[in-house]
Amino acid sequence: VQLVESGGGLVEEGGSLTLSCRASGMITSVFNSGPANWYRQAPGKQRELVASISNGRSGNYSDAVQGRFTVSRDNARKTVYLQMNNLKSEDTGVYYCNLKTWVTDYWGQGTQVTVSS
């Protein structure tokens, strides 16, 4: 079982990116059993939670990304998404998806997002 992330890259300020996190080898009932989260870690800083979504609920966001990021999940595809709009240089960092299930916590390998000013 692993979380496979994709969608990172280099973008100019004001641009958009969509990150994906697909649960490979995980049965659907496990994927559905808990919240999915996106964290990020900027150079020299601690990892921080930016967005979270539970089944049947709307997303929750940190103040830094509220109004610009949208988290969603497709349980049938066992995939979590993070749509990032109006990106700022301070959004630069490695983004990690995290899935909390009744089995254990799972983490993606991280994907680099770089926003140039």
Side-chain angles (χ1 to χ4, degrees):
V1 174
Q2 58 179 342
L3 300 184
V4 181
E5 300 183 34
S6 61
L10 173 65
V11 65
E12 293 183 349
E13 277 196 324
S16 298
L17 285 173
T18 299
L19 306 182
S20 299
C21 173
R22 179 177 58 86
S24 175
M26 183 182 295
I27 61 175
T28 302
S29 61
V30 174
F31 181 84
N32 294 348
S33 67
N37 309 296
W38 285 97
Y39 289 78
R40 69 184 180 192
Q41 187 164 19
K45 295 188 177 181
Q46 290 189 336
R47 191 174 296 188
E48 62 171 342
L49 177 65
V50 296
S52 179
I53 186 166
S54 297
N55 280 321
R57 297 177 181 267
S58 57
N60 293 300
Y61 304 92
S62 67
D63 290 344
V65 307
Q66 180 74 47
R68 300 187 296 120
F69 289 13
T70 303
V71 61
S72 61
R73 63 191 294 168
D74 184 335
N75 289 342
R77 297 180 186 273
K78 291 178 282 187
T79 302
V80 185
Y81 303 95
L82 186 67
Q83 171 70 42
M84 305 184 294
N85 297 325
N86 191 21
L87 283 160
K88 305 176 181 180
S89 57
E90 52 263 42
D91 294 319
T92 293
V94 180
Y95 284 70
Y96 299 90
C97 67
N98 162 251
L99 190 64
K100 297 188 182 297
T101 76
W102 65 268
V103 176
T104 189
D105 279 10
Y106 295 93
W107 287 88
Q109 80 281 7
T111 185
Q112 176 70 43
V113 172
T114 303
V115 184
S116 63
S117 57

